[in-house]
């Protein structure tokens, strides 16, 4: 019985604690809570590590959003230079329109997103 408990303790230190550390590191790189993902990795092991790898990258989303907002200011530059060909832009979204499933899913995944 003592050998079995010793093997479980070794398994815990060799698998579950590194899974918690790696899940926290991956989640932190993607802009998520490192403490929550450390405990998630500690309790769920390799499953949490796989889940952390599949997380959305909040930092990348924010930087893309900033780039798009900066490009919105180029409309004045295009109006000042009528010979230039404008880059294709998305039509503004009606805030009163019904949200699609993907918009609702994106809101659920990133609640601090500006709709």
């Amino acid at each position: 019985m003592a050998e079995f408990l010793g093997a479980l303790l070794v398994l815990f230190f060799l698998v579950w604690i590194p899974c918690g550390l790696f899940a926290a590191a991956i989640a932190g790189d993607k802009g998520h809570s490192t403490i929550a993902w450390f405990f998630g990795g500690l309790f769920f092991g390799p499953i949490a590590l796989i889940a952390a790898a599949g997380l959305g990258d909040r930092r990348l989303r924010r930087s893309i959003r900033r780039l798009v907002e900066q490009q919105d200011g180029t409309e004045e530059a295009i109006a000042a230079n009528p010979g230039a060909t404008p880059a294709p832009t998305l039509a503004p979204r009606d805030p009163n329109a019904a949200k699609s499933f993907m918009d609702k899913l994106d809101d659920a995944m990133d609640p601090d997103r500006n709709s």
Side-chain angles (χ1 to χ4, degrees):
M1 183 67 173
E3 291 176 8
F4 178 72
L5 290 177
L8 281 179
L9 188 63
V10 168
L11 180 70
F12 180 76
F13 280 111
L14 292 179
V15 176
W16 262 253
I17 289 178
C19 282
L21 293 172
F22 289 134
I26 292 170
D29 286 345
K30 293 183 175 193
H32 295 272
S33 171
T34 57
I35 295 172
W37 278 96
F38 170 74
F39 285 113
L42 197 62
F43 292 126
F44 297 109
I47 294 171
L49 188 59
I50 293 169
L55 284 173
D57 194 344
R58 288 184 177 173
R59 291 181 183 163
L60 179 63
R61 254 188 213 185
R62 286 185 190 121
S63 63
I64 290 173
R65 189 177 308 136
R66 266 189 245 114
L67 285 173
V68 169
E69 288 170 358
Q70 288 173 356
Q71 287 180 351
D72 286 344
T74 60
E75 293 174 2
E76 293 83 23
I78 292 171
N81 188 3
T85 57
T89 59
L90 295 174
R93 190 174 187 290
D94 182 16
N96 297 326
K99 289 187 173 183
S100 69
F101 173 75
M102 292 305 290
D103 286 335
K104 291 178 185 176
L105 182 64
D106 196 28
D107 287 341
M109 296 299 287
D110 190 11
D112 61 342
R113 180 179 84 134
N114 294 333
S115 298

